[in-house]
Amino acid sequence: MMTTLRSKAQRLFQSLSGQILIVMTVGVALAQFISSSIWLKQLDADAEQNVREVSQPMAFRVAATISYFSSLPKSHRHIVIDQLQDMGGTRFFVTVNKEEIVINDLPDSPLKDIVIQEFRHTLSKQLGITNPQIAFSSPDDLHVISNEIKLVDLPERWGHHSLLVKPLAPPILVIQIPINNDEWLYLATLMPDPYFLEGASPISAERLFSLAASIITVLILSLLVIRRVTRPLATLAKAAEQFGQGDWQPLKEIGSTEVRNTAHAFNDMQTRLQRYLNDRERLFASISHDLKTPITRLRLRAEMLDEDDVRDAMIRDLEDLDMLVKGALQSVKETDIHENRVEVHIQNMLKDMQSSAKLAHKRIQIQGVLQSPYIGKPFAIKRCLGNLIDNALFYGKSAKVYLDDNEERLCIRIQDEGPGIPQDKLDKVFQPYTRLGLDHSVHPSGMGLGLSIARNIARAHGGEVILRNMNQSVDAASHAPSEQRAGLEAVITLPRH
């Protein structure tokens, strides 16, 4: 399962559509991130400026209140406070306490620091007070009058009107200043914006949804455009692959100007190549027909010669010439097999070859199972496998066939127990008429075309055939070195698409 997902992800990253979608996704997300960062930075700057503008006049009013209470005679302070409390309070909650009240300060934040700095600066400048105790407290935890009494314990008319905003719980600013050796002026008030210290992120769920919706919308529109742009490329690639496998069908010349021009050029190329292939086939057929008569005539004349040595030499030369002509025609005909691509049951095909070899007292071992039939040209595939297995049986006396099949490709390994091939000639043997023996005594029925035909057929199916000596073989499934022993291995790789 993981291998399948990894393979699909790899194909997506390698495709043009996938790469464009990835670039679009990263680009849109990066653009949104940059714009959101600028917006958040500006939002923070505006919030700091608003808090500063609000804090300055509040600090002046607090300074005026402190100056007023400080100027009152000591005997009048409590009278004024009692009158304020009887009246339901004012903008400020003011008391004169016998001790400093311990305030459970709220966590630090940039906006909180701005407020405290403004109040300290104003009190120092206006009243010369350099040691004020300034803190923010939660309404439920605010102590007043003494360290044992909370705001919520007082009568509502005393401070609830000025400090509590139910059902909200805004932070309360508390300022305490010693006015003599045994008294503290206690002043509490609310900021105009009750939410200014809330730590909630500006990126709310609604904004995240909006961001995701914009990205998805851009990607959907991009996908529609990309599919429209890349579909002709996929059609062109498929047509080129089919043409390489012998299936010629002209492309429809539709779409944008560039696509129509490309399709027209591709159709012209297909026509020229197909004309060349047809001309080549007719040429070889014509050569075969035209050469048969003079070769036959020359052979009859050679047999009428009196000198035995001269007669035998000419007959051998004529037989070689006849074999070359037949080999060229065989190479063309067996490579250009005109048949449709259908389901090829390679497993059954190999079992038939195994039965035929057994009748000839040869042995073919088959290991592995194919997951499904292969889509290809059956006679061509049979010729490809037959040529390689025949070589293995002739040179190695036996053949071992290993099947390795998956969703991407079909790999068939054919091993023999023969002498192998010199390393520097592993690729040369695929050239037509190449034989490692000096004469026909090694394999009198062969003309050095079997490997060339097998490779051409595999390549016509989009695959490949390679040879390697067994002491350098690599296991196709595990990519680990195989058991080192003498012999040759032919590896056929056919794509499944």
Side-chain angles (χ1 to χ4, degrees):
M1 182 65 179
M2 292 299 296
T3 304
T4 303
L5 292 176
R6 190 181 300 110
S7 176
K8 291 182 178 179
Q10 185 177 7
R11 287 200 301 269
L12 175 63
F13 294 149
Q14 292 176 349
S15 67
L16 178 61
S17 299
Q19 293 176 4
I20 294 177
L21 282 178
I22 292 172
V23 171
M24 291 294 297
T25 303
V26 174
V28 172
L30 185 60
Q32 292 283 359
F33 174 77
I34 294 174
S35 62
S36 298
S37 299
I38 296 174
W39 173 73
L40 289 176
K41 187 175 181 180
Q42 184 63 42
L43 190 67
D44 291 340
D46 292 343
E48 292 179 1
Q49 181 64 26
N50 291 335
V51 169
R52 197 179 303 277
E53 292 177 353
V54 169
S55 300
Q56 288 176 353
M58 283 192 64
F60 279 104
R61 288 194 291 271
V62 168
T65 302
I66 294 173
S67 175
Y68 171 71
F69 274 93
S70 299
S71 65
L72 289 174
K74 187 175 181 180
S75 59
H76 289 72
R77 292 173 183 167
H78 288 283
I79 298 175
V80 174
I81 291 174
D82 291 340
Q83 290 177 347
L84 291 175
Q85 293 174 351
D86 290 337
M87 294 169 56
T90 64
R91 186 180 183 85
F92 303 114
F93 177 84
V94 184
T95 61
V96 176
N97 305 322
K98 298 295 183 180
E99 58 183 349
E100 179 185 1
I101 306 300
V102 178
I103 303 298
N104 296 323
D105 200 5
L106 296 179
D108 292 337
S109 69
L111 297 182
K112 174 186 169 184
D113 293 339
I114 291 175
V115 174
I116 294 177
Q117 290 174 6
E118 289 295 331
F119 273 79
R120 288 186 182 277
H121 175 73
T122 301
L123 293 177
S124 175
K125 183 178 180 180
Q126 297 293 324
L127 304 177
I129 299 174
T130 58
N131 60 341
Q133 300 298 319
I134 305 176
F136 280 92
S137 173
S138 171
D140 296 334
D141 194 36
L142 178 62
H143 290 78
V144 295
I145 301 176
S146 70
N147 286 311
E148 289 75 26
I149 302 175
K150 292 185 177 182
L151 176 64
V152 293
D153 299 330
L154 296 180
E156 291 188 4
R157 62 184 181 84
W158 281 22
H160 289 211
H161 176 72
S162 57
L163 298 181
L164 295 182
V165 185
K166 294 182 179 181
L168 305 179
I172 298 175
L173 174 63
V174 179
I175 302 172
Q176 299 184 81
I177 299 172
I179 53 179
N180 51 50
N181 294 332
D182 57 354
E183 287 184 323
W184 286 76
L185 180 62
Y186 179 103
L187 188 147
T189 186
L190 291 175
M191 295 294 293
D193 182 6
Y195 303 100
F196 86 106
L197 284 184
E198 287 191 358
S201 172
I203 304 180
S204 61
E206 291 78 7
R207 292 194 179 96
L208 290 176
F209 176 78
S210 176
L211 175 63
S214 63
I215 293 177
I216 292 174
T217 301
V218 171
L219 290 182
I220 291 176
L221 294 176
S222 301
L223 181 60
L224 295 176
V225 175
I226 291 170
R227 289 188 62 184
R228 181 178 177 85
V229 172
T230 58
R231 188 183 294 112
L233 296 178
T235 304
L236 178 62
K238 185 177 180 181
E241 181 181 358
Q242 291 177 344
F243 181 71
Q245 296 172 354
D247 184 10
W248 177 52
Q249 291 183 353
L251 281 177
K252 294 182 179 179
E253 299 179 12
I254 57 176
S256 62
T257 302
E258 293 80 4
V259 173
R260 291 198 304 271
N261 292 338
T262 303
H264 181 73
F266 182 78
N267 288 334
D268 287 345
M269 181 195 68
Q270 286 191 109
T271 303
R272 290 194 299 270
L273 289 177
Q274 191 64 39
R275 187 184 304 121
Y276 164 76
L277 294 175
N278 294 335
D279 291 343
R280 187 187 68 161
E281 187 173 351
R282 286 193 296 269
L283 174 63
F284 276 94
S286 176
I287 291 174
S288 173
H289 181 270
D290 293 342
L291 288 179
K292 282 181 180 179
T293 300
I295 290 175
T296 303
R297 256 195 330 264
L298 288 173
R299 180 176 294 172
L300 292 174
R301 291 179 180 178
E303 291 177 352
M304 297 173 64
L305 295 175
D306 295 333
E307 294 84 354
D308 293 340
D309 294 340
V310 175
R311 182 178 64 248
D312 293 341
M314 289 188 65
I315 289 175
R316 285 197 301 270
D317 290 340
L318 290 172
E319 287 177 350
D320 288 342
L321 179 60
D322 187 42
M323 183 181 65
L324 290 174
V325 173
K326 291 179 179 179
L329 291 174
Q330 179 187 4
S331 177
V332 172
K333 290 181 179 179
E334 293 187 355
T335 300
D336 297 336
I337 297 179
H338 301 287
E339 55 179 330
N340 296 326
R341 294 168 63 89
V342 296
E343 290 187 352
V344 182
H345 296 273
I346 295 180
Q347 194 108 26
N348 297 336
M349 188 180 292
L350 291 172
K351 289 181 179 179
D352 292 340
M353 294 181 184
Q354 186 181 43
S355 301
S356 300
K358 189 175 181 180
L359 294 176
H361 304 289
K362 299 293 181 74
R363 184 179 61 174
I364 299 177
Q365 298 181 17
I366 302 174
Q367 295 185 14
V369 179
L370 298 187
Q371 297 181 0
S372 61
Y374 180 76
I375 305 299
K377 298 181 178 182
F379 292 108
I381 295 293
K382 185 176 182 179
R383 172 60 64 185
C384 177
L385 294 174
N387 287 353
L388 297 175
I389 291 177
D390 286 345
N391 281 350
L393 292 175
F394 184 85
Y395 293 102
K397 310 305 180 185
S398 65
K400 295 181 179 179
V401 182
Y402 298 90
L403 303 176
D404 179 18
D405 191 15
N406 57 42
E407 295 181 355
E408 298 295 328
R409 57 104 180 98
L410 167 62
C411 180
I412 304 174
R413 296 184 292 129
I414 303 172
Q415 298 178 354
D416 62 41
E417 298 178 358
I421 297 176
Q423 190 67 26
D424 58 343
K425 296 182 179 180
L426 285 176
D427 193 62
K428 182 180 178 181
V429 294
F430 285 103
Q431 298 176 8
Y433 304 109
T434 300
R435 298 167 57 86
L436 297 182
L438 297 177
D439 53 33
H440 301 304
S441 61
V442 179
H443 196 346
S445 62
M447 293 179 288
L449 295 171
L451 291 176
S452 175
I453 292 173
R455 173 176 275 187
N456 289 337
I457 291 174
R459 288 179 173 177
H461 286 78
E464 185 59 277
V465 175
I466 62 172
L467 299 178
R468 55 197 182 197
N469 291 307
M470 293 295 292
N471 55 3
Q472 296 178 349
S473 296
V474 177
D475 186 83
S478 62
H479 300 285
S482 302
E483 179 184 354
Q484 294 189 2
R485 60 182 184 274
L488 185 72
E489 181 181 58
V491 182
I492 311 169
T493 305
L494 299 173
R496 279 194 175 276
H497 53 72

